[in-house]
Amino acid sequence: MIPLIDVHTHVYLPRYASWLRSRSIAPRILVNEAGEERLFILENETSAGRPVGPSYWDRDNKLNFMDQHGIDISIVSFANPWLDFLSPPDAESLARDLNTDLEQYCATGPSLSSDSSLKRLYGLGLLPLVPGIPVSSVLEAISQISQASHLRGLIMGTRGLGQGLDDEALDPVWQAIEKAGLVVSAWGDKDNGHVLPLALGFPFETTTAITRLILSGAFDRFPDLRVLLAHSGGTLPQLSSRLASCIDHDPIVASRLKHDARFYLGKLWFDAVAYGPEELGFVAEVVSRAGRYETGSKNTMLQADRREGSKRMFFGTDHPFFPPLFASERWKSVVDNLEAINLVAGWGQEECDNVKGGNALVFFGLQQ
Amino acid sequence: MIPLIDVHTHVYLPRYASWLRSRSIAPRILVNEAGEERLFILENETSAGRPVGPSYWDRDNKLNFMDQHGIDISIVSFANPWLDFLSPPDAESLARDLNTDLEQYCATGPSLSSDSSLKRLYGLGLLPLVPGIPVSSVLEAISQISQASHLRGLIMGTRGLGQGLDDEALDPVWQAIEKAGLVVSAWGDKDNGHVLPLALGFPFETTTAITRLILSGAFDRFPDLRVLLAHSGGTLPQLSSRLASCIDHDPIVASRLKHDARFYLGKLWFDAVAYGPEELGFVAEVVSRAGRYETGSKNTMLQADRREGSKRMFFGTDHPFFPPLFASERWKSVVDNLEAINLVAGWGQEECDNVKGGNALVFFGLQQ
């Protein structure tokens, strides 16, 4: 029986929430007139902030959510705004403490079953990526994370050290991550709580960041880097042939890359947080067509491609974001994402099982 | 024999080129030290501008390009930066003159064959959409275009009157366009000549503009509006289920719309300028699944959906952009876009013929 594994699920650990409560400018947590805590990501948010509560920091709450939806294992990660707002010394020390907290959150949590060596919670650590921090501090955090047995990778925003992810100063960081065999996840989660930036802004940001990283040649320099893209890669899959065409018409950029742009999409991993079966089927095709840019074959085999591509995709919920209006309801975002996996035309039981958990067991090194 | 019709192909007519040559700030055309004309879209472009020449304004050049690639009919449109940079009086008078020029460019051009009433060139007119212009001037341009027998619609950027396309002040404009039965095309062509904005920027802009228009409820108020999206809809197809999910979690926006967001994608039309067969197949699926949001059916039938969705898609070249390095070569962008249509898994001869020309005959009212 393959477990259902959620690879896209977030926490604000208690230490992080306390920090947000202590702040006098955004990002911060305030208590409103009704006595409820509200989260403000941006100082000039015109809304009344967003609700924030135990689903963000309480482990039992997370486990209840998992039980309610039949999720066996969660790979828990920190969330926007991460440490972006901190000074280098604060970012460094908070990252260290939070990584320690997250390791403990997972390690002292329940096991999958009495006869299993697997736990129900694993985590993705945090790097102190803020402008002005010495790269050595970042490398130290990578070392800390790689030694924590329940941390299976790390989550990262799109800013890097303030110059984006294609900043050459990050090369030692990519090298260390590649060497440690850690998984890099997430990318682009800047949220201001409205439909337009939520629906379009995050995926655009993810797309821009990963495209810049591809154009920098990073995946030629670090071919074993394992990057898991949030929100099914944003919009990169739909733009990848256009990107390839634009590169073809720009000799300087073209000369920097060893492969057609579409080749690199086959070297990435994608969560399945896209809410629709057509989107997932399409991502699977885009992943698998990368092989054609090695062989030069132009054959398109729809069903076969979709089955092959499913091997690089992973179920996720985005919990605790998008809660239902009533606490007793199953979360629509979870139901939609699971249903989307089940409805992908061309996927059978095996592909669905792999996307729901089988792939994550291997990718995060959880196989028993 | 169904003609090959290019629905995405641009001109700078001679009058427009002259205007650009006369300007002392960007956008403008300058002669460089080598005696070549160069186009500067933005004043602070660091590059040496882009090459510009007869392929932009000479009709015989366009016809030669068409012959070289077996294109029977072109639906020619103006291009970025349109009239965005002009004062209201200049925009109004230049739009009027350019629409007259374009009608003549088409009307005095060759016929498809000696026994055909079809011409080889048709056009999309231009509206003087600039901040501060009276809506009555825009309505007058619509009236002019609807009376020009070779202009089959109009092309539009994403700015509207400076407030985007979901500006309520544009409601009379949509109404007039809908009533005149004109096609609206293009959306989002802001180009600064580098891979990243070319590959990602335009499609993001198209996506944002059309999403805002959907969220405004325009397609409920004007259900017969016929909008053709450039670049296969940007990235909206890949984000449409996410958009639907975000709307579901926002009661205010949800209450404004009659349908699930994905429903509206089935009411739109898409050019096939996406450079890859997987992208086109995916767009076809997204178009056809809109029907499921009317019936509540969850069935996904891959091949059937792709065949159905092909009815709203159209071949295009984006000429004269993306020229080859040597004048004698066939244009890679054209070859890629044609090949992509031929390689879509699930499309047969009929679907390919329709996307290459059959759909455009009906959509632009060219059927003999």
Side-chain angles (χ1 to χ4, degrees):
Chain A
M1 184 66 190
I2 293 178
L4 181 60
I5 303 181
D6 182 356
V7 309
H8 188 144
T9 178
H10 299 291
V11 282
Y12 283 7
L13 290 185
R15 186 190 304 271
Y16 189 75
S18 300
W19 190 284
L20 290 175
R21 287 191 195 98
S22 75
R23 286 172 55 83
S24 58
I25 54 164
R28 60 172 164 168
I29 292 173
L30 284 177
V31 178
N32 70 9
E33 289 173 1
E36 297 159 344
E37 286 199 317
R38 310 290 289 190
L39 171 65
F40 292 80
I41 301 265
L42 303 169
E43 188 58 27
N44 55 4
E45 264 181 74
T46 52
S47 73
R50 72 170 81 184
V52 65
S55 66
Y56 281 68
W57 45 75
D58 186 87
R59 190 173 65 188
D60 286 340
N61 187 294
K62 179 73 84 183
L63 289 164
N64 284 340
F65 164 81
M66 291 166 62
D67 291 340
Q68 193 188 357
H69 298 88
I71 296 167
D72 299 301
I73 296 174
S74 288
I75 315 283
V76 171
S77 56
F78 297 99
N80 177 54
W82 298 297
L83 306 175
D84 291 359
F85 52 95
L86 295 174
S87 68
D90 284 349
E92 184 171 352
S93 90
L94 193 56
R96 191 185 305 116
D97 290 346
L98 286 173
N99 288 329
T100 304
D101 290 353
L102 185 60
E103 168 67 15
Q104 202 181 358
Y105 173 100
C106 301
T108 61
S111 294
L112 186 56
S113 67
S114 56
D115 60 347
S116 171
S117 64
L118 286 178
K119 308 290 290 184
R120 292 199 67 190
L121 298 166
Y122 292 89
L124 300 176
L126 197 57
L127 299 184
L129 284 173
V130 296
I133 201 156
V135 168
S136 61
S137 301
V138 182
L139 297 178
E140 219 168 280
I142 294 171
S143 161
Q144 180 200 10
I145 293 167
S146 68
Q147 287 164 39
S149 60
H150 295 82
L151 303 187
R152 297 298 168 136
L154 47 92
I155 188 167
M156 208 185 265
T158 55
R159 296 188 189 182
L161 299 169
Q163 305 292 320
L165 295 177
D166 52 353
D167 184 354
E168 282 170 22
L170 289 177
D171 264 20
V173 173
W174 299 124
Q175 196 167 30
I177 292 170
E178 186 187 41
K179 197 171 164 201
L182 289 168
V183 165
V184 184
S185 174
W187 316 77
D189 233 350
K190 198 161 164 200
D191 168 8
N192 72 6
H194 304 288
V195 165
L196 209 57
L198 266 178
L200 310 185
F202 293 12
F204 285 178
E205 207 180 312
T206 306
T207 305
T208 308
I210 188 66
T211 301
R212 285 174 55 179
L213 198 56
I214 289 172
L215 293 182
S216 79
F219 294 99
D220 291 323
R221 294 199 299 285
F222 311 110
D224 293 329
L225 199 57
R226 294 190 300 153
V227 176
L228 167 58
L229 295 176
H231 307 123
S232 290
T235 62
L236 184 59
Q238 209 190 336
L239 297 179
S240 54
S241 291
R242 178 176 173 84
L243 177 64
S245 180
C246 288
I247 293 171
D248 276 340
H249 290 85
D250 189 321
I252 294 171
V253 177
S255 70
R256 205 193 289 151
L257 299 176
K258 284 192 190 159
H259 302 278
D260 183 285
R262 288 165 284 198
F263 171 86
Y264 301 102
L265 271 79
K267 301 297 165 191
L268 298 168
W269 284 262
F270 299 83
D271 75 25
V273 184
Y275 307 92
E278 290 80 8
E279 285 84 345
L280 298 182
F282 172 59
V283 171
E285 286 171 48
V286 165
V287 167
S288 73
R289 79 172 166 195
R292 294 207 297 279
Y293 294 94
E294 290 179 295
T295 62
S297 152
K298 289 198 169 154
N299 189 26
T300 63
M301 298 195 302
L302 194 48
Q303 314 284 358
D305 280 1
R306 290 190 160 194
R307 287 197 296 272
E308 181 63 27
S310 70
K311 294 175 186 166
R312 283 176 178 262
M313 299 173 67
F314 308 88
F315 168 68
T317 64
D318 215 0
H319 181 268
F321 303 119
F322 304 109
L325 294 177
F326 301 100
S328 60
E329 287 173 22
R330 293 191 71 188
W331 291 41
K332 189 172 184 309
S333 51
V334 182
V335 173
D336 284 356
N337 276 320
L338 273 178
E339 188 179 87
I341 293 170
N342 291 329
L343 287 176
V344 172
W347 282 2
Q349 190 64 46
E350 185 184 338
E351 287 75 30
C352 291
D353 283 349
N354 283 341
V355 174
K356 288 182 196 170
N359 296 337
L361 284 180
V362 179
F363 189 63
F364 292 103
L366 304 177
Q367 208 126 32
Q368 293 181 276
Chain B
M1 186 64 188
I2 293 178
L4 180 60
I5 303 181
D6 181 355
V7 309
H8 188 143
T9 176
H10 298 292
V11 283
Y12 283 8
L13 290 184
R15 186 190 304 273
Y16 189 76
S18 299
W19 190 284
L20 290 175
R21 286 190 195 100
S22 75
R23 288 172 54 83
S24 58
I25 55 164
R28 61 171 164 169
I29 292 173
L30 284 177
V31 178
N32 70 9
E33 289 173 0
E36 298 160 343
E37 287 199 315
R38 309 291 289 189
L39 171 66
F40 291 81
I41 301 267
L42 302 171
E43 189 57 31
N44 54 4
E45 263 180 75
T46 50
S47 72
R50 71 170 82 183
V52 66
S55 66
Y56 280 68
W57 46 74
D58 186 85
R59 190 173 65 188
D60 286 339
N61 187 293
K62 179 73 81 181
L63 288 164
N64 284 340
F65 165 80
M66 290 166 62
D67 290 341
Q68 193 187 359
H69 298 88
I71 296 167
D72 299 300
I73 297 175
S74 287
I75 315 283
V76 170
S77 54
F78 297 98
N80 177 56
W82 297 297
L83 307 175
D84 292 0
F85 53 94
L86 295 173
S87 68
D90 284 349
E92 185 174 349
S93 90
L94 193 55
R96 191 185 306 115
D97 290 345
L98 286 174
N99 287 329
T100 303
D101 291 352
L102 185 59
E103 168 65 16
Q104 204 183 356
Y105 173 99
C106 301
T108 61
S111 294
L112 187 55
S113 66
S114 56
D115 61 346
S116 171
S117 64
L118 285 178
K119 309 290 288 184
R120 293 197 67 188
L121 297 166
Y122 292 89
L124 300 176
L126 196 56
L127 298 183
L129 285 173
V130 296
I133 201 155
V135 169
S136 60
S137 302
V138 182
L139 297 178
E140 220 168 281
I142 294 171
S143 163
Q144 180 201 10
I145 292 167
S146 68
Q147 286 163 40
S149 61
H150 295 82
L151 303 187
R152 298 297 168 138
L154 46 92
I155 188 167
M156 208 185 265
T158 55
R159 296 187 189 182
L161 301 168
Q163 304 292 319
L165 295 176
D166 53 352
D167 184 353
E168 282 169 23
L170 290 178
D171 264 20
V173 173
W174 299 124
Q175 197 167 28
I177 292 171
E178 186 187 41
K179 201 173 158 199
L182 289 168
V183 165
V184 185
S185 175
W187 317 78
D189 235 352
K190 199 162 162 199
D191 169 8
N192 73 6
H194 304 289
V195 166
L196 208 56
L198 266 180
L200 310 184
F202 293 11
F204 285 178
E205 208 181 311
T206 306
T207 305
T208 308
I210 189 66
T211 302
R212 284 174 56 178
L213 198 57
I214 290 172
L215 294 182
S216 78
F219 293 99
D220 291 324
R221 294 200 300 286
F222 311 109
D224 294 330
L225 199 57
R226 295 190 299 154
V227 176
L228 168 59
L229 296 176
H231 307 121
S232 290
T235 62
L236 184 60
Q238 210 190 337
L239 297 178
S240 54
S241 291
R242 178 174 174 85
L243 177 64
S245 180
C246 287
I247 294 172
D248 277 340
H249 289 86
D250 189 322
I252 294 172
V253 177
S255 70
R256 204 192 290 151
L257 298 176
K258 284 193 189 158
H259 303 277
D260 183 286
R262 287 164 284 196
F263 170 87
Y264 301 101
L265 273 79
K267 302 297 166 192
L268 297 168
W269 284 263
F270 299 83
D271 74 25
V273 184
Y275 307 91
E278 291 80 8
E279 285 84 346
L280 298 181
F282 171 60
V283 171
E285 285 172 48
V286 164
V287 167
S288 73
R289 78 172 167 195
R292 294 207 297 279
Y293 293 94
E294 289 179 297
T295 62
S297 151
K298 292 201 165 145
N299 190 26
T300 63
M301 298 195 302
L302 193 48
Q303 314 282 0
D305 280 0
R306 289 190 160 195
R307 287 196 298 270
E308 182 63 26
S310 69
K311 295 175 185 165
R312 285 177 176 262
M313 299 174 67
F314 308 88
F315 169 67
T317 64
D318 216 358
H319 181 267
F321 303 118
F322 302 109
L325 293 179
F326 301 99
S328 60
E329 287 174 20
R330 292 192 71 190
W331 291 42
K332 190 172 185 309
S333 51
V334 182
V335 173
D336 284 355
N337 276 320
L338 272 177
E339 186 178 88
I341 293 170
N342 290 329
L343 287 176
V344 172
W347 282 2
Q349 189 64 45
E350 186 185 338
E351 288 74 30
C352 291
D353 283 348
N354 283 340
V355 174
K356 288 182 197 167
N359 296 337
L361 285 179
V362 180
F363 188 63
F364 292 102
L366 303 177
Q367 209 127 32
Q368 294 182 276

